[in-house]
């Protein structure tokens, strides 16, 4: 309060004044400046103190314990505002973009992490501008801009889970009207998936847990006051994938189940049944179909890692006649991939299939493996598992030949195929001789020895893949699929369970190499943090 009892009114920022636009007077940047992507700065206010400007009477005495003006300390509450004004003024004068970690990043962190939780009103549309400004502020507190996280997302995670339309995403972040609230939540989820505190922020960087909690809060609020939308469902999918990569598969499984129910409510499960030509003509339907495929695939991948593996799945896997999803933009220029010709699940050995379609094919086989391992042991079941093993091995050979051992866009498919084989053969080894005694054409010893040899073979294949990525730069870790870590962990469990068989041979070296390969992945995704 000022001396006369009137609270000072904050003036509009200099940029809005110059453009003669309405300013919401938010700190550290107002909404219009955030939308325009320009630096925002405020003029230092001058308090009206008419009485203090008049010379005091000659015989007037100063107040007791009063200090001369030059020794009076500035109020503490004004210091962050001063830092923000200095930062924005420097950004406005510089011809180049200045990242926040170069301009008082501790102050930026203080502004973001100490701000109150954003509350979405019942009239969601009325909060579009303020919510986008809030999310943009969090992104800038990571030392990045919206275009930074966008580029990193489409070069990384999007290659393996291509659910977001790049054209629609770019349209929403184009300067102009504020995007809808559900897109702002999706944008924050994208930021969470791409943010690396060590590479991006350095000392004093914002904690990624704060971003997760903020995204979770906004997601839950929007889910409570609005109908399921493609932006919100995709945001929920990315949050589940982050929990999966963060080493929390049980949380991820609950999150993906919620996401699947939202997609069912929105009717996404019907789009993959459409004719391929009709689907290609409808961009929104194509994006919804890919989103549904991603939910179906990821739910099964996450189920492989949960503590209680006999939990029911929410989604039903598409039948053999269903059309496979479309490929991401990164595959459009690949001459080895036919991303236009419709392909169904019943064509697993078609060579010119891209990474996402191949992952859907492998997920279909994984679904059959999970289903077979839950049923009572019968002769027909073992024969079915043997057939699935043969198909998975053949698909793995095709993928390896297409990318010469490198994961590339086929990383998700390769890691899922290997993980499926680990589940299949570990299940056989958990059976008793009595369980297998009723199979006449193979003895229990032959079954067990065959599975042990298969586990050794896929462990060596995992080691070859790890060696091919040895020495990879930290900033390229996002080009690895999210299930890459779980593939390595499965190989390590096999080596640990059979360590007594060969204590001096290749197993010890393999175990060391596999453990070393997990370290950068754990750092990147904050596993155990």
């Amino acid at each position: 309060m000022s001396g006369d009892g009137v609270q000072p009114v904050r003036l509009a920022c200099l940029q809005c004044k110059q453009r003669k636009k309405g300013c919401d007077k938010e700190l550290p940047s107002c909404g219009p400046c955030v939308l325009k992507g320009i630096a925002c700065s405020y003029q230092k206010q001058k308090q009206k103190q008419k009485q203090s400007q008049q010379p005091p009477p000659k015989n007037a005495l100063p107040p007791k314990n009063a200090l001369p003006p030059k020794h009076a300390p500035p109020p503490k509450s004004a210091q962050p505002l001063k830092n923000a004004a200095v930062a924005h003024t420097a950004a406005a004068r510089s011809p180049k973009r200045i990242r926040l970690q170069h301009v008082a990043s501790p102050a930026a962190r203080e502004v973001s992490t100490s701000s109150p939780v954003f509350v979405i009103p019942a009239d969601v549309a009325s909060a579009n501008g303020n919510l986008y400004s809030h999310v943009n502020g969090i992104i800038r507190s990571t030392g990045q801009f919206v275009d930074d996280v966008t580029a990193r997302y489409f070069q990384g995670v999007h290659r393996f889970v291509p659910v977001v339309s790049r054209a629609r995403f770019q349209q929403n972040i184009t300067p102009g009207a504020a995007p809808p609230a559900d897109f702002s939540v999706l944008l924050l989820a994208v930021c969470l998936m791409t943010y690396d505190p060590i590479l991006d922020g350095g000392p004093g960087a914002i904690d990624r847990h704060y971003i997760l909690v903020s995204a979770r809060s906004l997601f839950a609020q929007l889910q409570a006051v609005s109908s399921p939308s493609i932006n919100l469902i995709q945001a929920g999918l990315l949050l589940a994938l982050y929990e999966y990569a963060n080493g929390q598969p049980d949380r991820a499984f609950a999150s993906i189940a919620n996401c699947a129910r939202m997609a069912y409510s929105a009717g996404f499960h019907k789009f993959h049944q459409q004719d391929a030509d009709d689907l290609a003509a409808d961009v929104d339907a194509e994006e919804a179909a890919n989103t549904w495929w991603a939910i179906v695939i990821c739910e099964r991948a996450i189920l492989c890692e949960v503590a209680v593996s006999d939990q029911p799945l929410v989604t039903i896997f598409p039948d053999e006649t269903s059309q496979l999803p479309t490929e991401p933009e990164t595959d459009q220029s690949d001459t080895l991939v036919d991303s236009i010709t419709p392909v169904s699940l019943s064509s697993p050995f078609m060579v010119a299939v891209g990474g996402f379609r191949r992952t859907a094919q492998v997920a279909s086989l994984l679904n059959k493996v999970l289903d077979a391992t839950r049923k009572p042991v019968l002769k027909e079941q073992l024969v079915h598992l043997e057939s699935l093993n043969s198909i998975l091995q053949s698909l793995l050979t095709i993928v390896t030949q297409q990318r010469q051992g490198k994961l590339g866009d086929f990383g998700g498919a390769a890691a899922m195929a290997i993980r499926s084989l680990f589940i299949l053969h570990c299940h056989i080894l958990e059976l008793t001789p009595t369980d297998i005694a009723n199979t006449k054409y193979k003895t229990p010893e032959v079954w067990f020895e065959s599975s042990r040899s298969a586990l050794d073979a896929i462990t060596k294949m995992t080691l070859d893949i790890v060696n091919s990525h040895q020495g990879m730069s930290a900033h390229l870790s996002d080009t690895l699929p999210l299930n890459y870590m779980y593939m390595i962990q499965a190989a390590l469990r096999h080596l640990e369970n059979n360590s007594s068989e060969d204590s001096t041979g290749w197993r010890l070296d393999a175990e060391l190499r596999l453990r070393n390969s997990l370290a950068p992945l754990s750092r990147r995704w904050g596993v155990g943090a």
Side-chain angles (χ1 to χ4, degrees):
M1 300 287 288
S2 60
D4 57 0
V6 180
Q7 188 173 1
V9 178
R10 189 188 305 156
L11 300 177
C13 75
L14 298 177
Q15 287 69 25
C16 287
K17 265 187 171 183
Q18 184 178 4
R19 293 186 293 115
K20 298 182 179 180
K21 298 292 183 180
C23 181
D24 57 17
K25 305 176 185 178
E26 291 291 329
L27 291 176
S29 300
C30 71
C33 286
V34 170
L35 289 175
K36 287 288 185 181
I38 61 177
C40 179
S41 58
Y42 289 89
Q43 185 177 10
K44 191 174 181 180
Q45 298 183 33
K46 297 181 180 179
Q47 295 184 353
K48 297 181 179 180
Q49 299 179 349
K50 296 182 179 180
Q51 296 180 357
S52 62
Q53 294 175 0
Q54 297 177 357
K58 296 181 179 180
N59 57 352
L61 296 176
K64 189 177 181 181
N65 299 328
L67 293 175
K70 64 178 181 179
H71 297 296
K76 294 182 179 180
S77 60
Q79 194 61 30
L81 190 60
K82 179 181 178 181
N83 289 342
V86 171
H88 289 304
T89 303
R93 293 174 180 173
S94 174
K96 299 180 180 179
R97 292 193 312 172
I98 300 179
R99 297 183 181 275
L100 281 189
Q101 71 266 30
H102 298 159
V103 187
S105 63
R109 180 182 179 182
E110 181 181 350
V111 169
S112 296
T113 56
S114 62
S115 60
V117 176
F118 191 96
V119 178
I120 299 177
D123 182 11
V124 178
S126 65
N128 286 348
N130 289 336
L131 179 56
Y132 185 66
S133 177
H134 176 73
V135 169
N136 209 313
I138 295 177
I139 293 175
R140 292 178 65 178
S141 296
T142 68
Q144 303 177 95
F145 288 82
V146 171
D147 55 346
D148 297 326
V149 299
T150 301
R152 186 176 295 183
Y153 172 77
F154 283 103
Q155 293 169 4
V157 177
H158 181 75
R159 298 174 63 185
F160 309 106
V161 192
V163 297
V164 180
S165 166
R166 187 194 294 262
R168 187 177 62 83
F169 194 92
Q170 292 288 353
Q171 184 179 1
N172 274 300
I173 63 176
T174 301
D182 56 357
F183 177 81
S184 294
V185 179
L186 173 60
L187 179 60
L188 189 57
V190 167
C191 173
L192 177 66
M193 289 296 296
T194 58
Y195 176 48
D196 188 332
I198 296 179
L199 293 181
D200 298 327
I206 188 173
D207 183 18
R208 74 176 104 206
H209 181 70
Y210 170 76
I211 305 177
L212 173 62
V213 172
S214 299
R216 275 272 167 228
S217 171
L218 295 173
F219 176 82
Q221 290 184 65
L222 264 186
Q223 188 179 3
V225 299
S226 61
S227 301
S229 64
I230 190 166
N231 285 330
L232 197 60
I233 293 171
Q234 290 171 348
L237 174 61
L238 292 183
L239 291 175
L241 289 177
Y242 175 79
E243 292 168 337
Y244 174 67
N246 188 239
Q248 303 181 70
D250 289 287
R251 290 187 182 181
F253 192 65
S255 298
I256 199 75
N258 176 48
C259 191
R261 293 186 180 94
M262 292 174 65
Y264 267 123
S265 176
F268 284 15
H269 61 292
K270 300 177 182 179
F271 287 111
H272 74 273
Q273 301 170 348
Q274 290 188 8
D275 182 80
D277 294 333
D278 294 338
L279 194 62
D282 188 344
V283 177
D284 293 336
E286 183 178 290
E287 188 175 3
N290 266 28
T291 301
W292 176 252
W293 268 110
I295 293 172
V296 171
I297 294 169
C298 294
E299 187 181 24
R300 280 146 185 83
I302 296 171
L303 178 61
C304 296
E305 318 305 336
V306 298
V308 181
S309 59
D310 59 348
Q311 299 182 59
L313 293 161
V314 175
T315 59
I316 299 174
F317 208 93
D319 58 37
E320 297 293 324
T321 61
S322 299
Q323 298 296 322
L324 292 175
T326 57
E327 296 294 346
E329 294 85 344
T330 52
D331 274 346
Q332 300 296 334
S333 60
D334 194 334
T335 57
L336 299 177
V337 172
D338 183 356
S339 57
I340 300 177
T341 304
V343 181
S344 67
L345 273 173
S346 58
S347 307
F349 299 115
M350 181 177 176
V351 176
V353 173
F356 192 44
R357 288 180 168 182
R358 189 68 79 195
T359 302
Q361 291 177 333
V362 176
S364 174
L365 297 173
L366 171 60
N367 185 66
K368 294 176 182 178
V369 169
L370 293 173
D371 185 57
T373 55
R374 295 183 177 192
K375 294 180 179 179
V377 181
L378 299 171
K379 174 183 176 181
E380 292 77 12
Q381 179 204 21
L382 291 172
V383 173
H384 183 46
L385 287 174
E386 190 174 40
S387 173
L388 291 173
N389 170 67
S390 177
I391 298 174
L392 283 166
Q393 297 268 15
S394 300
L395 273 178
L396 203 51
T397 301
I398 293 174
V399 171
T400 303
Q401 290 174 346
Q402 283 182 303
R403 283 297 177 264
Q404 300 178 352
K406 293 275 187 178
L407 287 180
D409 295 341
F410 291 82
M416 183 174 288
I418 291 175
R419 188 69 185 92
S420 302
L421 289 169
F422 273 116
I423 293 173
L424 188 154
H425 290 288
C426 285
H427 172 74
I428 292 177
L429 291 177
E430 290 173 355
L431 301 177
T432 65
T434 305
D435 294 329
I436 311 179
N438 59 352
T439 57
K440 298 181 181 179
Y441 73 103
K442 274 189 182 181
T443 64
E445 291 75 16
V446 173
W447 277 107
F448 293 150
E449 182 59 32
S450 176
S451 287
R452 280 191 288 266
S453 298
L455 289 173
D456 283 346
I458 55 180
T459 297
K460 292 178 179 178
M461 182 176 293
T462 302
L463 185 61
D464 289 340
I465 294 175
V466 166
N467 289 337
S468 69
H469 294 85
Q470 189 174 8
M472 173 181 286
S473 301
H475 70 279
L476 294 177
S477 58
D478 285 3
T479 62
L480 296 175
L482 300 179
N483 55 353
Y484 182 71
M485 174 176 63
Y486 291 99
M487 173 191 70
I488 297 174
Q489 290 177 350
L492 278 171
R493 283 194 295 271
H494 169 63
L495 293 175
E496 292 169 355
N497 294 336
N498 298 273
S499 58
S500 59
E501 297 181 9
D502 183 11
S503 58
T504 59
W506 67 274
R507 294 176 185 272
L508 289 178
D509 178 67
E511 184 174 349
L512 178 61
R513 289 178 179 272
L514 292 174
R515 290 193 183 280
N516 289 339
S517 67
L518 281 178
L521 294 173
S522 299
R523 182 210 61 77
R524 165 63 183 91
W525 295 106
V527 178

